[in-house]
Amino acid sequence: MTAYIFKRLLLIVPTLFAIMVLNFVIVQAAPGGPIDQIVAQLQGQNTDSTARISGNTDSETGQSNQNSGQVGGDQSRGARGLDPQLIKRLETQFGFDKPLPERFFGMIADYAMFDFGDSFFKSGTVVELVLDKMPVSISLGLWTTLLVYLVSIPLGIRKAVRDGSQFDVWTSGVIILGYAIPGFLFAVLLIVLFAGGSYLQIFPLRGLVSDNWEDLTLLGKAYDYLWHMVLPVTAMVIGGFASLTMLTKNSFLDEINKQYVLTAKAKGLTERAVLYGHVFRNAMLIVVAGFPSAFVGVLFTGALFVEIIFSLDGLGLLGFEAALSRDYPVMFGTLYFFTLLGLLLNLLGDVMYTLIDPRIDFESREG
């Protein structure tokens, strides 16, 4: 197993590099860029963007933002009518006066040292911004993943045991409905029903905690935090439990029909003993091993609209705003870090396979 882990760790390097190259090329080919955003603001055409420009444009031209200006493009687009020297100073300040290969490899060198630079349009470094938004996203991702597993696994097992029954049929209908309707629509519905939209006003409408959270007791803080989590987490759980439930059901059905189960029943073991003593470990292998990747998926891809609807300032909203404003340091810094995290967690998933079932040997399969 040690050799397999070492090989996978080595494979992460070219995989991560290829992902960064691909995204670099795509963003480079896209119209617009940080300079265009700044020029539009200076011309009064983009009043909605957040930017810290006025002070930056007067800074020394030699103080380029190292790994903040790794992507360029035709930054002079939209600059007509402005002083060319101003555009030149902006390009130098953000590092766009350098050739593309130099920007890219400079970015990779800095990222390899986990130096992600400063945001173009927000005050602070990329690391500070991510750490500031992380509690919201971790709260959503952790609670959602745990509840999805707590709901999906028992439900999937029960559906497998009672396959074809009325219970299986009507729960499948509920699952299909939950899968078909996006989580943000459930979020809107929950607000209308329970957050003062049109009917009841039981739960808070926005934020992770109340304004007076600092004044509350420890127990009061915990209650306030959990109370704010109810609606957003419920919206994400409803939209996310369908796939895992069907995966659990199909895994158990596949194991239940195998010969060793029939042999165990023939020996006189009860259905419960067969199910949890023999079937459970084999059937749950793929479900439990997928927990790390499932958590990453919920944490970084599934909460954008829910964050917007409930005014939760998390990583999803940060990435969305960075893409709109072409805040390249935030875009590429978070892409690098969370891609690396995802690759490492995929490796962790393989390790969990062997922990759950020692009979699995990835090294022999590779050989």
Side-chain angles (χ1 to χ4, degrees), residues 51-328:
R52 43 190 183 93
I53 298 168
S54 57
N56 290 340
T57 54
D58 295 329
S59 61
E60 296 182 10
T61 59
Q63 295 178 347
S64 60
N65 202 342
Q66 293 184 3
N67 58 351
S68 297
Q70 283 77 12
V71 188
D74 184 3
Q75 297 298 340
S76 62
R77 271 179 267 174
R80 289 184 292 273
L82 291 181
D83 183 1
Q85 291 300 319
L86 173 61
I87 303 301
K88 214 60 172 165
R89 288 205 308 272
L90 290 172
E91 291 177 351
T92 302
Q93 177 188 339
F94 291 119
F96 295 138
D97 57 331
K98 301 175 183 177
L100 289 178
E102 183 179 346
R103 296 176 200 163
F104 176 76
F105 286 105
M107 174 185 73
I108 294 299
D110 289 330
Y111 285 4
M113 304 300 295
F114 293 97
D115 178 12
F116 301 112
D118 300 324
S119 169
F120 284 161
F121 302 113
K122 292 180 181 292
S123 178
T125 65
V126 174
V127 174
E128 290 172 347
L129 291 173
V130 170
L131 292 178
D132 183 54
K133 314 297 182 185
M134 189 73 79
V136 173
S137 293
I138 288 181
S139 294
L140 288 175
L142 184 61
W143 289 115
T144 300
T145 305
L146 289 176
L147 289 176
V148 163
Y149 269 74
L150 289 175
V151 171
S152 298
I153 292 176
L155 180 59
I157 294 174
R158 188 168 179 82
K159 284 175 65 63
V161 172
R162 303 182 61 179
D163 183 43
S165 65
Q166 289 187 353
F167 173 82
D168 183 41
V169 172
W170 74 261
T171 51
S172 295
V174 174
I175 289 172
I176 292 173
L177 181 64
Y179 185 77
I181 301 178
F184 70 89
L185 289 182
F186 279 116
V188 174
L189 177 63
L190 291 173
I191 287 176
V192 171
L193 294 178
F194 303 112
S198 298
Y199 298 93
L200 304 175
Q201 190 168 1
I202 301 175
F203 298 98
L205 178 60
R206 60 179 63 230
L208 190 62
V209 293
S210 300
D211 295 335
N212 64 334
W213 190 77
E214 292 293 341
D215 300 328
L216 300 175
T217 63
L218 182 60
L219 185 61
K221 289 180 178 179
Y223 176 81
D224 183 74
Y225 162 76
L226 293 174
W227 204 238
H228 279 77
M229 282 286 99
V230 170
L231 292 188
V233 170
T234 300
M236 295 180 66
V237 168
I238 291 175
F241 80 101
S243 298
L244 185 59
T245 299
M246 297 309 299
L247 177 63
T248 304
K249 176 188 174 182
N250 293 333
S251 296
F252 271 81
L253 282 177
D254 184 57
E255 293 295 325
I256 287 173
N257 294 323
K258 289 184 177 179
Q259 184 62 42
Y260 76 90
V261 176
L262 299 177
T263 302
K265 290 181 178 179
K267 291 181 178 179
L269 295 177
T270 64
E271 182 177 350
R272 185 178 183 84
V274 172
L275 184 63
Y276 293 100
H278 295 75
V279 176
F280 187 82
R281 187 179 70 173
N282 295 328
M284 288 302 296
L285 178 63
I286 189 172
V287 177
V288 175
F291 181 85
S293 58
F295 174 69
V296 172
V298 173
L299 184 60
F300 303 120
T301 62
L304 172 59
F305 290 112
V306 171
E307 287 181 10
I308 294 174
I309 291 171
F310 289 100
S311 299
L312 300 172
D313 193 9
L315 292 173
L317 189 58
L318 175 67
F320 179 70
E321 291 177 345
L324 286 182
S325 63
R326 302 295 195 274
D327 195 343
Y328 292 147

